[in-house]
Amino acid sequence: MRITTIGATATAVAVLASPITSTPTPTPASASAVLAASVVSKPTKAASVHGEARISYIESIHDDIRFTVHAEQTPFTRPMPPTAPEGLPTDARGTLKFSHSRGEVTGWAEATVDCLVTSGRTATLTAVVTKSNVEEPGARLGISVQQGGKGEPDRLGFSWGVVNVDPENIDENGQLVRPQAGSCMAPAPFTTVIKGGYKVVHAEITKSPTQPEPAPHHS
């Protein structure tokens, strides 16, 4: 029976001690240089979304539907020659898992995150299926997450079910074929989290590297 699915890292810190030597007191100029260097070396905050939750979906109101998301933006880490040889500012890494249980039957999928973009408490991401009993490996899934505020519940949307339909895309049996989601493409978070939740960290996207000027042509 096929059901319609919606779906301690330990860090060691080493402290290196060196012999105390007599060091001249920094002048105002050198102190400013040290401060400037510390500002430059400060790591940039990365956009991310983490969490797991059960959702309530109007089309399957009594089903047990859960999503686990762990994603972090890693700009310019997925080269796409020739149009984007450095990759994109929304490149990302992480994992997406979902399960949809109806009675004794469960549909599930695991996918690798490839794109993430955020705005305030909202994140949109896509992930490519690696293992599943309901999705084809290589299919890209789109997910949106909204972290609730002021007592509001978290919310989640997904790129299948009631969205992402192309009326002219019909298979040989006359059934609608679901188009694949493009990178970072997902609908608004239209379902409600009823257990668990998500944490969204927003960061502005990074400007793309300047493309090199073409070398002058000499005849």
Side-chain angles (χ1 to χ4, degrees):
M1 174 181 178
R2 178 185 174 88
I3 66 173
T4 303
T5 66
I6 61 98
T9 300
T11 303
V13 180
V15 180
L16 303 181
S18 58
I20 299 176
T21 58
S22 176
T23 304
T25 302
T27 63
S30 62
S32 299
V34 171
L35 178 59
S38 67
V39 172
V40 171
S41 63
K42 184 178 181 180
T44 303
K45 179 178 66 173
S48 65
V49 55
H50 295 278
E52 54 185 309
R54 178 179 176 180
I55 65 166
S56 175
Y57 176 41
I58 192 64
E59 296 293 335
S60 305
I61 198 68
H62 300 297
D63 296 356
D64 187 331
I65 305 169
R66 300 170 187 262
F67 286 85
T68 300
V69 181
H70 294 291
E72 180 174 305
Q73 202 175 76
T74 55
F76 312 111
T77 57
R78 296 178 178 272
M80 294 190 299
T83 55
E86 300 90 357
L88 298 173
T90 52
D91 288 344
R93 64 185 176 192
T95 57
L96 164 70
K97 298 180 181 179
F98 77 75
S99 65
H100 181 169
S101 298
R102 178 179 299 163
E104 300 298 319
V105 180
T106 298
W108 59 271
E110 297 179 7
T112 300
V113 173
D114 65 352
C115 188
L116 170 68
V117 65
T118 60
S119 178
R121 299 192 306 273
T122 301
T124 300
L125 62 100
T126 46
V128 178
V129 174
T130 55
K131 295 187 293 184
S132 178
N133 67 346
V134 291
E135 296 284 352
E136 293 294 329
R140 180 178 287 107
L141 308 177
I143 301 293
S144 62
V145 172
Q146 179 178 292
Q147 181 182 336
K150 297 182 179 179
E152 298 176 343
D154 292 358
R155 302 183 64 85
L156 183 140
F158 48 90
S159 63
W160 61 99
V162 296
V163 295
N164 197 26
V165 175
D166 180 358
E168 298 181 359
N169 194 357
I170 307 295
D171 66 15
E172 62 275 11
N173 299 317
Q175 300 298 315
L176 286 171
V177 176
R178 187 182 80 213
Q180 177 167 287
S183 61
C184 273
M185 294 290 100
F190 56 84
T191 72
T192 303
V193 168
I194 55 177
K195 184 178 181 180
Y198 301 98
K199 171 66 175 178
V200 175
V201 175
H202 169 64
E204 298 294 330
I205 61 173
T206 305
K207 183 180 182 299
S208 299
T210 302
Q211 297 293 330
E213 294 293 332
H217 178 71
H218 300 284
S219 57

